[in-house]
Amino acid sequence: MALAFAAPISGGASAEASRLRTFRPDIQGLRAVAIILVVFGHAGAPLLGGVDLSFVISGFIMTSQLDREQERSGKISFGKFYARRARRLLPMATLVTLVTVLATWLIMPLKLRTVAWDAICTALSVINYRLAGQGTDYVHLHTNASPLQHAWSLSVEEQFYLLWPLLLLGALALGIKLGRRRLVAGILLAVVVVGSLGLSIVLTKLNQPLAYFGFQTRAWELGIGALVAICAKRLSQLPLWVAAAMSWVGLMFLLVTVVLVHRTTELPGYAVGGPVLGGALVIIGGCANPKYGVEWVLGRALPNFIGQLSYSWYLWHWPFFVLTPVALGMDLGLSGKVKLIVLTFVLSICTYFWIEKPFREHPNLKSLVAKPWRGLVMGVTFIATTVAACTAVLTLTVPSGTKLTTPVSYVNPVLLASLVEQG
């Protein structure tokens, strides 16, 4: 859910190849669908599959960027790739993580040490395995959830960003020697997809938390998106009416399956196949740029705007959903959840324009990618800041279970509740 937008390179002078674009409004709108499913699902609506959809989108976008660079320059610069990721992802992630730790100290200090460890694992992109080791039940939400629990999906994506470019480079190098670059990469992806999906199905029965949070059981979802990116040039040659129909079928299939998958379904396993395949069909159909595909709806201004905010909104919404009921000492109810959805959406607008977008687009920061080592140093600095701050918290705080005095002692929950009701 977190990547800047790019689509596969267009090669050749044919009309079909010219359909490929470097910006896909339909996928930007698809990101809006994913974040709405996630936020409203976490608010209690019977909706699942938003994260699975975002995995497909991320796999497609990342592989498209790498494929375009390799096509243009004949090589892949890992330094530039990871510098772009650092500039795009880490400023907002660091801000939200540290604010969440601070809010935890103010609101539920007895969980401060646990959340500080969660923050360290979030910064190091391994919180998914921490949650799996704890046997966390992510689907059945409860009051003991960590305010950083949602960062598991970001860790899965980061692990994919770390491993897939290396595998892709090897596949592309071998493919160039064989004259079948994309074929070799596609075969490798197919192996990853089949193996990961099979492991997901088996492990869902044996160890559901590990199946839910593990990279090895989620790689196939990102791999599906990556496989579409590898095949995008050929997919752009689809007849326009076929491409348009595929995109609409994909959207309908996606929307139907995310409603049918309910909280008693064992996840991930087979159940996430609906949003994954539905999202893949939407992306496949859009490769040919049909005039009357789903881009006619998803490419409009509002879905694209929400898609732009999806990363910030994803980061902010979950800490608010976890911490606000504790701060108020009351269940939020439908009205309170709606207010939090609106509040976090507004907050995501502010941080997108004040933090996320400036870091990504400010001219003075272009050198972070032009000279990749600078971007990498910046990324390491953000990670080290979170780790150092949370290590200090672990060093200075007393063990869990000890009564702490914090500024929350001076907050009147009844007053806060009345303000929310008046809000």
Side-chain angles (χ1 to χ4, degrees):
M1 299 188 66
L3 295 175
F5 221 89
I9 50 86
S10 57
S14 67
E16 291 83 0
S18 67
R19 295 174 182 175
L20 288 173
R21 298 162 289 169
T22 57
F23 176 73
R24 290 276 300 272
D26 57 330
I27 304 185
Q28 191 78 312
L30 200 60
R31 293 175 67 192
V33 174
I35 188 60
I36 289 172
L37 290 174
V38 169
V39 172
F40 281 77
H42 285 167
L47 300 171
L48 294 173
V51 170
D52 306 288
L53 176 57
S54 73
F55 283 157
V56 178
I57 297 171
S58 295
F60 175 81
I61 294 171
M62 184 194 72
T63 305
S64 298
Q65 291 174 336
L66 295 171
D67 186 43
R68 178 173 56 185
E69 180 181 355
Q70 201 280 335
E71 183 84 2
R72 182 182 61 249
S73 64
K75 61 182 180 179
I76 294 175
S77 171
F78 293 110
K80 287 184 178 181
F81 174 77
Y82 293 118
R84 286 194 300 265
R85 296 303 98 224
R87 188 176 68 164
R88 173 69 176 88
L89 304 177
L90 292 181
M92 273 300 305
T94 301
L95 172 66
V96 175
T97 300
L98 293 179
V99 168
T100 300
V101 173
L102 175 61
T104 301
W105 172 62
L106 297 174
I107 295 171
M108 46 183 190
L110 294 183
K111 292 196 69 173
L112 181 58
R113 291 179 62 85
T114 298
V115 174
W117 274 115
D118 290 343
I120 291 174
C121 292
T122 296
L124 298 176
S125 298
V126 293
I127 191 173
N128 56 324
Y129 286 108
R130 172 172 166 83
L131 294 171
Q134 294 172 338
T136 303
D137 186 352
Y138 189 88
V139 178
H140 302 89
L141 306 180
H142 51 82
T143 55
N144 291 323
S146 166
L148 292 172
Q149 189 166 294
H150 66 318
W152 75 271
S153 65
L154 304 179
S155 293
V156 170
E157 290 192 11
E158 291 295 338
Q159 290 155 17
F160 189 77
Y161 300 157
L162 180 63
L163 296 176
W164 173 234
L166 298 175
L167 294 176
L168 183 62
L169 181 63
L172 295 184
L174 180 60
I176 289 172
K177 293 178 182 179
L178 298 176
R180 297 292 182 90
R181 178 174 63 86
R182 285 188 173 87
L183 176 61
V184 174
I187 292 173
L188 177 61
L189 270 173
V191 172
V192 171
V193 168
V194 172
S196 175
L197 176 58
L199 185 60
S200 175
I201 294 170
V202 172
L203 204 56
T204 297
K205 300 289 186 180
L206 301 177
N207 188 336
Q208 196 273 338
L210 181 58
Y212 193 93
F213 294 108
F215 166 75
Q216 66 275 20
T217 51
R218 294 290 188 166
W220 75 274
E221 302 176 42
L222 291 127
I224 287 289
L227 192 57
V228 175
I230 292 294
C231 300
K233 195 170 183 179
R234 288 189 176 274
L235 293 171
S236 70
Q237 301 174 19
L238 288 170
L240 294 181
W241 70 270
V242 173
M246 289 183 68
S247 67
W248 283 110
V249 169
L251 182 61
M252 294 301 103
F253 188 64
L254 164 66
L255 296 179
V256 169
T257 54
V258 298
V259 175
L260 292 179
V261 177
H262 49 81
R263 299 193 184 280
T264 60
T265 304
E266 288 187 321
L267 297 172
Y270 295 104
V272 301
V276 170
L277 295 179
L281 284 174
V282 171
I283 298 173
I284 289 171
C287 289
N289 193 15
K291 184 176 181 180
Y292 297 108
V294 297
E295 187 172 325
W296 185 76
V297 174
L298 296 181
R300 295 183 182 272
L302 181 58
N304 271 238
F305 180 65
I306 296 175
Q308 286 179 328
L309 303 176
S310 59
Y311 182 53
S312 290
W313 200 6
Y314 184 81
L315 289 174
W316 283 120
H317 83 283
W318 181 253
F320 273 84
F321 282 2
V322 172
L323 295 172
T324 303
V326 180
L328 301 180
M330 57 182 283
D331 183 68
L332 292 176
L334 178 60
S335 175
K337 290 176 181 178
V338 170
K339 289 175 182 177
L340 276 189
I341 289 174
V342 174
L343 174 62
T344 53
F345 182 73
V346 172
L347 183 58
S348 70
I349 294 175
C350 297
T351 52
Y352 173 78
F353 285 105
W354 295 344
I355 298 174
E356 186 179 346
K357 188 175 182 180
F359 265 96
R360 192 178 66 213
E361 299 180 358
H362 197 283
N364 293 338
L365 296 176
K366 287 184 177 180
S367 62
L368 296 178
V369 174
K371 295 185 177 180
W373 68 269
R374 295 180 179 178
L376 297 176
V377 168
M378 183 203 72
V380 171
T381 300
F382 276 118
I383 294 172
T385 298
T386 300
V387 172
C390 294
T391 300
V393 168
L394 293 170
T395 303
L396 298 176
T397 56
V398 296
S400 298
T402 304
K403 184 176 181 180
L404 300 178
T405 301
T406 71
V408 78
S409 306
Y410 303 101
V411 176
N412 186 337
V414 177
L415 176 60
L416 282 175
S418 65
L419 290 174
V420 169
E421 290 301 319
Q422 297 170 10

